[in-house]
Structures are given as C-alpha cells and as structure tokens.
Amino acid sequence: MRPATLRVGIAGLGTVGVGVVRLLAANAELIATRAGRPIAITAVAARDRTRERGVDLSGLRWHDDARGLAGDPDVDVVVELIGGAEGPARQLVEASLAAGRPVVTANKALIAIHGASLAAMAERSAVPLCFEAAVAGGIPVIKAVREGLAADRLTRVGGILNGTCNYILTAMRESGRDFASILAEAQALGYAEADPSTDIDGIDAAHKLAILAALAFGRPVDFASVHVEGIRAVGALDIAFAQELGYRIKLLGIARLAEAGVEARVHPCLVPQTMPIALVDGVFNAVFAEGDFVGRVMLEGRGAGAGPTASAVVADLIDVARGTTIPVWGANAEHLSQVVSVPIGERVGAYYLRLQVLDRPGVIAEIAAILRDSGVSLKSMLQHGATEDVSGNDVPDAVPIVLVTHQTREHAMRRALELIAALDVVIEPPAMIRIEAG
Amino acid sequence: MRPATLRVGIAGLGTVGVGVVRLLAANAELIATRAGRPIAITAVAARDRTRERGVDLSGLRWHDDARGLAGDPDVDVVVELIGGAEGPARQLVEASLAAGRPVVTANKALIAIHGASLAAMAERSAVPLCFEAAVAGGIPVIKAVREGLAADRLTRVGGILNGTCNYILTAMRESGRDFASILAEAQALGYAEADPSTDIDGIDAAHKLAILAALAFGRPVDFASVHVEGIRAVGALDIAFAQELGYRIKLLGIARLAEAGVEARVHPCLVPQTMPIALVDGVFNAVFAEGDFVGRVMLEGRGAGAGPTASAVVADLIDVARGTTIPVWGANAEHLSQVVSVPIGERVGAYYLRLQVLDRPGVIAEIAAILRDSGVSLKSMLQHGATEDVSGNDVPDAVPIVLVTHQTREHAMRRALELIAALDVVIEPPAMIRIEAG
C-alpha cells in the first residue's frame, strides 16, 4: 500500500509562500523519503490570482478567503503565511485548529501574542501547531530548545534575533557612519522594510524572545512582559567608544530564569569582543541557551529570507507527516509553570553611560557624587577632547564622557540617570546601554 | 490514569553513566512533564558493585553481564554507555534490538562502524535506536541534521568534532609551544586520555563525521571510506606561519556531496581567521551543515563531559518516552541513497606546504619547477631567516619555506610533494596542510 500523501493548503503567497512552493517541488522526492510519504500542495489562498509569482500553481484549488482552507476537504494541514497577530491569520489558525486540522505557521506575532490560547485549542483538538519558522528562520532553534535540550533546566535563552538590526549595527561599526544613513542604505538594499519600526524598535525580536522564553522555561508565552528597546538611539559615538572599551554593540534578546522569576528583555547591549556572539555579524542570527547539564549551546545561521524560512516550514510539515506529537510549549498546558515575570528595574548588571557635558571644572565630581549617592559604583571613565554635537555643529565647549559602572540594580541606575540628566552642564539626554558579559 | 513510567536500564557506570543517573534524579519532575510520563532507572550493569560512585544506586537491579538488560522484564529501554565498537557494547545493543527493546547509546564507534546493520535490526523490530550523545555531546546536532534540516538537500556537513584536538591546537597557538608539551599538559589536566591516540589521530572525529555524513546525505553509514589524519604532525612553526598568513589551524571533519559522490575526511586545516569556525576555541565543538534552501547553519557547545553527554542521552530518552518514531538514518533503509564515496585524491582545494631546505641558490627555482611540472600553481611564498630544526639544534644553513598553492587536485599535489621530498636540499619531510576557505 502506498502511504497517503500529506495534502497542504498554503495561505499567503508572498516571498515565503512562494519559497515553500519552490522547496516542496525542488526536493519532493527527498522530502517524501524523509517524511515517509509525499507532501504536496493541493490548495492556496491569496488575494491576487493574476499576479505572476514565478511558480506553477495550476491544478491547485484557490481560496479567496483564507479561512476556506480550514474546511477544504482536500487539505490535511494548513500553512499560515499571511502574517499579523490579528485578522485573517488569526482567524484561519483558529478555524483550522477548531476543525482538528494541524497548522504550521511562520507568524511570530501571532504565536507570541496568542500562543497560549492557540496551544489550548491545539491540545483540545489533539493536533500539532508548529512554528519553527517563527524564530531565527531556518535555524532549528524551536526543535533544539524544546526537544534537543528537553532534559535540562534552562536558565537563560536568547540571542541576536533580528537580522535587520544586526546588519545595521554591523554596518555602523564597519563604516563609522550613523544610524539614519545606514538605515536608508539598508532600505535601498532590501535589508530593511520601508516602514522599519517592527524591526528597529525591537518588536520583532521581542516576539521571538517571548516564544523562546516560553519554551525554555515551560511557561505560557507572555509577550506583554518583555521589556523592549530598539536601536534608534545607538549613536556612531557609542559604537566607537564600545570598540575602544573592548566591546561590540548588539541588539540582544535575553530571557533569564532567576530566583524572583523570569526576566525577559530586548535592548542594545555592549558585549565583550571575545564572546562568540559578538562575532555574529551582518544579517545572521544566533540563538544561545544555557542549561544546568548541557552548559551553553549556540546556533547560528540565516534568520530570514525565503529559502531559510521555507526550510523551517517544510521541516515542520515533515514532522506533521511523520505524526510526531509534542505539546506546543513542550509540556501540556496543565503542566506549564506559573513562574512570574520580573520587571526590568530588577536587572542587575553593569552599565555604559555616555554624557555630553560642558567642559567645566567640577563636572565630573558632580556626576560622580550623584552616582555615589544613588549607590552606583563607577568602574572606569573615558574622556576625549571636544567634539561635535549630534547635529554636526561644533560645540567647542562640550565633551563626551563615557562612564562604565560596576554591577548595579537598574532601579538605582535610572534614578541616578534622572538626576544627571537634570544637571545644567549635561547638554544632551544621556545614552545608557546595558553591558552583558555572561 | 497515571501514565506508565518509562523504565531505564543503564549499562556502564563511568563518568557519563553516573551523569545520566544524576540528571534523571536532579530534573525528574521537569523531565516527566516534558516526556509526558516519569522516566526512572530500574536496572544497571557494571563490573564493580563496590566502587563508590557518589550516586544512590539502592533498589536497582544489578546485572554483572550487561546483556542481562536486554531480557530484564523491568526494563523498557536500554542505555548503552559501555563504549567500544565490539564486545559487550555491541552484544548488548544487538540483543536489545532483537528483543524489540529501544536503545539509546553514546557510542560513536559502534554507530559509525555497525550503524547500518543495527539500523536494519531496529527497523525490523520497529523500535528506536537513538545516538544524539554520539556526536558533539550535548549539542543537538543529530536532531538538527535529521529533523531540523530535513527539508533541505544538504551538500556539506562537518566541523570541529574533537574537543581534545581543539584544546591542543588552541593551546599551541596561545602559548607558541609544541605539540608534545601541550599534549602532556592536556593529559595532566584531564583533557586528554593517557592513551590519546583515538583523539589525536583523528579517529574519534572520523566516527562522528561518518555518522553526520550518513544522516546528511541519507546513505548507509560508511566509516571505512573516511580519510583520517590527526594532529601529531602539526608543528609550532605551522601554527605561527598560519597566523602570519591570516589563518588558524583546526582539525576539521568535512563531508561533501559532490557530483562524483561523497567526500569525507578528517585532517588539520588552515581556515581563514575571519570564518566563524576559526574562532571556536578550547574544548568546544562546532558542527556546520549547508543546505540548498537553509544556507549554512552552525551549532556550538561542549562536545564532551558528563553533563553535556548525559543531557543528550536523556533528551533521547524523552523522545522514546513520547513515542517519537523517526527512521534511524532519517529514512527507511530501502530509501537510503547508494551514492558512492570519493577518495581523498580527488579533493580540489588549496594547500599549505612547509619545507625545511638548505639555504642554497636555486633551491626555490628547483621546487617551483616541480610544482609547475605537476600542474600545481603557486599563489604565495613565505621565507624567514635561519631557524632551528625540530630537535632544537641550530641548523644555521637551513631555512623554512612556506608555499601556498592555488586550487589544485590532491593527486597532483601529492605527486609534486614526493618529488620535492626526494630533493637533496629538502632536509625534513615536508608538512602539507589543506586550506579550507569555504
């Protein structure tokens, strides 16, 4: 008896959707041997039937309304590639799970925001809900964290989760140019969207971090508790000072299981130049996880693009074809942990501060006194000659000062920063970047 | 109804065996939620009952003959941690599979050498045979290659597969000292065995590469076809010259699917200092894989030690407990590819040659003529002043010459090397190290 073909309905025929169509055609035979049966597309849903997409869609059933895939009798598994946490994407996934149909999605926003309720629906219907493509593209990080490291108590997970930000920060370092000019270049090259805010404000990375944290710590996904800062405020000066101090600036997502609960945050970090993650440049992503027995594991590769994302979508389809059944978040909902979230104010770590100050006697003493009174201990200070202000005008009387603190609690750091910002001699809002050395 | 406990019988209570006992105890609750049922050890097999191992073995059934685990009615899955490709390890695994009992093993030699026939036995009995711990310790590379990248046609797989060699090469570079003295130090520190040959002669890495290549290319595991060279011949001088040329020396395992077939080899390589794998130092392992859609993915972490290895063994046990069933080599035996192996002579790449020559006029012309006549094209040459010979005596008349070739076929390179070695002015056997830039 020939095994039954797994019949796939794809919603969304953008870059990734077309990539999945291409991959299933290009590697059909190999995929069938690995899945134990053929995997074939039988239906698609997309708005524009007439657009030329460069792939053969003849013979496929076409749905103008994506939700039609949930009830199509010739579809065994629905692939959702529409995107967005609400609207048609959410409606399709909910309808499919309710109808007892497995779902594969690349939609990080949907999973980060509605992953808990969707998992409950999948559990009720006893069908898989897979989202390997939602984090770090083709790098199999969901599988690694949920299954490969399943024996470990994970205490830390995160990484470089957004290729656009990593590209921009890398290009800023290599060129010495500022954020705005590199962003414009990245947009021209197609590495950044016309509306780049989801990427550069850290939201995309935060979606991914929320997903990783839920898997690593076995608790319901909780996007709202992730502290998010993007890279708009990182200056060319900061990148140069970081270099001088032996660091590189990376946008990291970090989730940590501490005694008080889970700390999850996305923000620019100074990382020592000798740390492997500091060396992951350009559009590449890297995900690390730390466990009590395995130690630290890191995975790197392309985190976006049609090919890598399609690779992850189809790997999920192969798991569905094989009948692999693992709870969505690694354990059934009743066994998920209820560990609380810890606000960013509780972070303990070192800080980099850059102040633009008037070059007057006693300025440093004044700043040092504020830090001391706030309980922040200073580790080192860098001062160079007069420079330009952010608008490029000469301010002969102003100099940048860089301060590096010892470990301190973020509450204290912020209190000190407010007082410092209020000083007359401090002529720009201070820049504060967290240092991550571990 | 409470789900049934998965009952484990462990053969071998060395470092890793004790690590597995510790891990199953330390994370019992977490493992039960992830596996969907408790996992508990019920029986052990080891030679010495009286040795103090620092873990509680009370209440477990003790087998003096490991094969007893295959027939123990209180054992659902056998964990083989005895080691060695033959003898008790092989007997136990064969008996267990024949008895229809799942097997988890960390035994790379056994899987590399007998993996094809063992997979056939597992397939006949329809039970899993798992060996995540056999390659790169706790880094989930088997899962990543077999499942995570299952949609891709992989064209290249390999990496830094032996932590002892990577430690020695790193220490040689950092200290400038020679192989023998660093090896002695590594032995004293416990990073190298008293009999280090399995590690430093590349055999351990070759076992792992054979396993990775079989998974990546979907063909029966074929250890015999792997070309193996170790690191004994790497000199302090080579490490210094490599540095000067912009390279680092790493022992890599590389398997490549070319038009003519599969090329699989383990040997020291010069890799550009800017490649991520060049920066993986000390006892760390790194595995890369390249696929037609995913591009290049790399995984890094600790490749050995009780904790990381136990982490992989227990992750496999969780898969067994969940009932995950994936063919041993990623596809059923009948669907494995019969692609042939290509001998090392067919390798095409660049080469580093170091010659110790008498400092006479015309020497370089003579060597260059041999290369030209063999069809080997020279890219660059380095020559420094007089130095010492390998025994440390001054040879005022001898100088090292380093040659770097353009891409050439290994056949041609070897022919040239024989002729060069036979020259009177060449006073030591030439050192030849392959350059891997891609």
Side-chain angles (χ1 to χ4, degrees), chain B residues 53-383:
Chain B
R53 296 178 167 92
V55 286
D56 182 13
L57 301 171
S58 61
L60 306 182
R61 196 197 302 260
W62 195 287
H63 294 267
D64 292 309
D65 182 338
R67 282 169 298 185
L69 291 172
D72 188 322
D74 291 330
V75 167
D76 301 313
V77 51
V78 169
V79 174
E80 184 278 303
L81 302 170
I82 301 167
E86 307 296 338
R90 184 179 179 191
Q91 289 159 15
L92 169 61
V93 172
E94 290 184 346
S96 301
L97 295 174
R101 195 154 282 190
V103 171
V104 172
T105 177
N107 191 330
K108 49 216 96 171
L110 177 71
I111 297 298
I113 295 169
H114 300 298
S117 63
L118 294 175
M121 293 183 72
E123 205 172 312
R124 268 198 301 280
S125 299
V127 292
L129 165 62
C130 307
F131 45 85
E132 182 63 72
V135 182
I139 318 170
V141 295
I142 302 293
K143 194 173 272 289
V145 171
R146 189 171 59 178
E147 303 167 41
L149 306 180
D152 278 65
R153 187 176 306 280
L154 297 181
T155 49
R156 213 176 159 94
V157 69
I160 295 176
L161 301 172
N162 184 277
T164 304
C165 289
N166 205 43
Y167 171 85
I168 291 173
L169 292 172
T170 302
M172 285 176 73
R173 188 187 79 236
E174 287 173 350
S175 69
R177 282 156 55 202
D178 69 5
F179 173 78
S181 100
I182 298 288
L183 172 61
E185 188 180 277
Q187 287 172 314
L189 290 167
Y191 293 150
E193 308 272 347
D195 175 0
S197 73
T198 306
D199 289 319
I200 64 176
D201 292 329
I203 299 157
D204 174 77
H207 288 147
K208 295 164 178 168
L209 183 69
I211 294 170
L212 286 176
L215 286 169
F217 308 137
R219 67 171 202 154
V221 59
D222 182 13
F223 174 66
S225 72
V226 181
H227 174 84
V228 191
E229 296 172 27
I231 62 167
R232 289 185 202 259
V234 176
L237 256 186
D238 297 315
I239 294 201
F241 276 120
Q243 194 96 328
E244 191 175 339
L245 292 162
Y247 294 94
R248 290 194 174 175
I249 298 181
K250 295 285 176 192
L251 183 78
L252 296 188
I254 298 170
R256 210 167 65 84
L257 181 64
E259 269 191 39
V262 170
E263 184 187 296
R265 47 200 167 82
V266 169
H267 53 70
C269 299
L270 262 69
V271 289
Q273 275 164 7
T274 50
M275 268 178 74
I277 205 160
L279 306 167
V280 176
D281 275 340
V283 296
F284 285 85
N285 282 22
V287 170
F288 60 79
E290 284 176 29
D292 53 353
F293 279 74
V294 76
R296 189 184 180 99
V297 169
M298 192 165 95
L299 293 84
E300 308 177 37
R302 292 185 179 276
T309 311
S311 168
V313 166
V314 177
D316 275 348
L317 287 173
I318 293 172
D319 273 354
V320 170
R322 277 169 174 158
T324 303
T325 50
I326 292 161
V328 176
W329 296 107
N332 289 332
E334 55 177 324
H335 290 121
L336 291 181
S337 144
Q338 293 307 317
V339 56
V340 296
S341 296
V342 179
I344 183 82
E346 299 300 322
R347 174 191 187 256
V348 175
Y351 293 82
Y352 157 101
L353 304 180
R354 179 176 51 81
L355 310 172
Q356 194 72 5
V357 300
L358 294 177
D359 199 5
R360 304 275 156 78
V363 169
I364 288 171
E366 209 169 351
I367 292 166
I370 291 177
L371 290 171
R372 180 200 59 209
D373 296 347
S374 308
V376 176
S377 150
L378 207 52
K379 185 181 173 194
S380 64
M381 205 196 77
L382 264 183
Q383 191 182 354

Side-chain angles (χ1 to χ4, degrees), chain A residues 246-331:
Chain A
Y247 294 94
R248 289 194 174 174
I249 298 181
K250 295 286 176 191
L251 183 78
L252 296 188
I254 298 171
R256 210 165 66 84
L257 181 64
E259 270 193 36
V262 170
E263 183 188 296
R265 46 199 167 84
V266 169
H267 53 69
C269 299
L270 262 68
V271 289
Q273 275 164 7
T274 50
M275 269 179 73
I277 205 160
L279 306 167
V280 175
D281 276 340
V283 296
F284 285 85
N285 282 23
V287 170
F288 60 78
E290 283 176 30
D292 53 352
F293 279 74
V294 76
R296 189 184 180 99
V297 169
M298 193 165 96
L299 293 83
E300 310 176 35
R302 291 185 180 276
T309 310
S311 168
V313 167
V314 177
D316 275 348
L317 287 173
I318 293 173
D319 273 354
V320 171
R322 277 170 173 157
T324 303
T325 50
I326 291 161
V328 176
W329 297 107

Side-chain angles (χ1 to χ4, degrees), chain A residues 11 17 42 87 107 138 151 168 219 251 258 264 284 304 333 366 377 422 426:
Chain A
T42 50
N107 191 330
I168 291 173
R219 68 170 201 154
L251 183 78
F284 285 85
E366 210 170 350
S377 150
V426 174

